[in-house]
Amino acid sequence: MAEIWCVASGKGGVGKTFVASGFGISLAKLRRKVLLVDFDISGANLHTVLGLKEFKKSIVDGLTSSADGCRDMIVRSTFPNLDFIPGFIVPQLGQELCTFKVDALLEQLKKLDYDVIIFDLGPGAQKANFSLMAYANRNFIVTNCEPTSVEKTYSFVEQYVAHEGNTKNLHLLANFCRSSQHQGLGKSLESVLFKKHDINVRFSAAIRFDNAVWQSTFMSTSNLQNVFALMPYSEVCHDFYKICKQLIDPSELRAVS
Ligand SMILES: Nc1ncnc2c1ncn2[C@@H]1O[C@H](COP(=O)(O)OP(=O)(O)O)[C@@H](O)[C@H]1O
Ligand SMILES: [Mg+2]
């Protein structure tokens, strides 16, 4: 049965889509079979990061018709081992429909032949996000290191816990890290959430800010303007590879004594 991972955040623009694609591409390189799902109900853009353009079907079909046909929504990406379900190209679906249909859709998707299914969510404490997160094996909450993002991260986690109870599957990712102070932010957040609010969130990793990300968007004349494809030896790609290795097999990176 596939593992379900969600990538969520309190604030928009903190790197959820980037993280979801980075996880997907890195896990696929580590020979895991991965399905990436664009589930940002405010509007799709994971397809652009993957360099994909036109689709016959999207997640909307899975939520509006019988979920049995979920194989029809799946598109092959240009990366080996990585498939994709396009999102809400026109954000026409109401939250209620998402929450109502999500259970049936997930049951179908989990039976497909994937190791990991990754959902790229929209920002904030929306019902549709929480209903998916409740199902997931791991929920990655992405924050950047600015006070406005940190503030929204606290509020997002508190709202999720008020909704779902204090779950053990919350992981924190600090993105856009530019200094050692930033690198330490995730641990501080983890500690404050536990000591002051009795909430368990595990700090997973710091991801550095890397100019290679925007430079890649100027490098290619094709649709694929992705750092993981164009600058795979950049520092940020190395961060993702390491994080994914650690997530799927923590024992491999243990120090040898
Ligand atoms: N670690 C990083 N280094 C450099 N640029 C980044 C990094 N993470 C994200 N970005 C860039 O920041 C912008 C916002 O990221 P995106 O994934 O679209 O955020 P969200 O999905 O949370 O709205 C994008 O242009 C993305 O390429
Ligand atoms: Mg996004």
Side-chain angles (χ1 to χ4, degrees):
M1 196 82 91
E3 272 207 22
I4 307 281
W5 295 8
C6 286
V7 182
S9 73
K11 196 171 191 287
V14 294
K16 288 177 299 304
T17 301
F18 179 66
V19 166
S21 67
F23 274 176
I25 296 165
S26 307
L27 288 170
K29 276 190 189 161
L30 287 159
R31 297 199 185 83
R32 296 303 190 274
K33 220 168 166 257
V34 185
L35 177 65
L36 269 176
V37 186
D38 191 335
F39 208 85
D40 183 345
I41 64 167
S42 69
N45 62 15
L46 189 50
H47 58 284
T48 304
V49 175
L50 297 174
L52 302 169
K53 253 189 164 172
E54 283 169 21
F55 323 99
K56 290 199 187 91
K57 295 206 167 182
S58 74
I59 191 77
V60 175
D61 297 279
L63 293 164
T64 50
S65 59
S66 152
D68 296 351
C70 64
R71 274 179 203 278
D72 301 344
M73 301 180 287
I74 298 173
V75 178
R76 295 236 174 283
S77 80
T78 48
F79 299 89
N81 294 333
L82 182 66
D83 293 344
F84 171 62
I85 296 183
F88 304 88
I89 304 296
V90 181
Q92 73 270 58
L93 267 196
Q95 300 251 5
E96 295 305 325
L97 188 52
C98 287
T99 44
F100 178 64
K101 288 275 194 176
V102 135
D103 300 6
L105 181 69
L106 278 175
E107 283 306 322
Q108 292 298 320
L109 289 176
K110 270 166 79 169
K111 288 184 201 148
L112 300 179
D113 181 28
Y114 291 100
D115 297 306
V116 187
I117 302 177
I118 302 173
F119 285 84
D120 175 26
L121 304 185
Q126 309 176 26
K127 250 186 178 179
N129 290 348
F130 285 174
S131 61
L132 263 172
M133 288 171 67
Y135 250 97
N137 303 87
R138 298 176 203 244
N139 289 303
F140 296 92
I141 319 293
V142 183
T143 185
N144 69 24
C145 306
E146 292 167 12
T148 50
S149 175
V150 172
E151 192 172 31
K152 287 206 172 189
T153 301
Y154 280 130
S155 147
F156 180 79
V157 171
E158 279 168 0
Q159 287 178 77
Y160 179 66
V161 168
H163 197 262
E164 286 302 324
N166 196 352
T167 65
K168 292 212 180 334
N169 61 4
L170 295 178
H171 302 254
L172 204 60
L173 289 172
N175 189 24
F176 289 98
C177 294
R178 297 173 197 251
S179 64
S180 54
Q181 204 185 353
H182 284 170
Q183 300 268 345
L185 176 85
K187 243 349 198 188
S188 313
L189 280 174
E190 176 190 274
S191 160
V192 171
L193 281 164
F194 184 67
K195 286 187 186 150
K196 290 211 173 148
H197 305 275
D198 201 24
I199 295 175
N200 291 301
V201 178
R202 185 183 303 173
F203 170 56
S204 271
I207 301 165
R208 69 194 105 188
F209 172 85
D210 193 334
N211 284 309
V213 177
W214 66 262
Q215 283 163 352
S216 307
T217 64
F218 291 95
M219 278 176 71
S220 171
T221 47
S222 80
N223 289 329
L224 189 58
Q225 299 173 323
N226 183 311
V227 68
F228 297 96
L230 301 174
M231 297 172 82
Y233 299 109
S234 58
E235 290 182 318
V236 76
C237 295
H238 180 68
D239 284 347
F240 273 95
Y241 192 77
K242 229 169 79 184
I243 296 166
C244 287
K245 231 174 157 178
Q246 178 84 55
L247 286 170
I248 59 176
D249 191 0
S251 62
E252 258 188 47
L253 292 184
R254 237 179 258 149
V256 179
S257 54

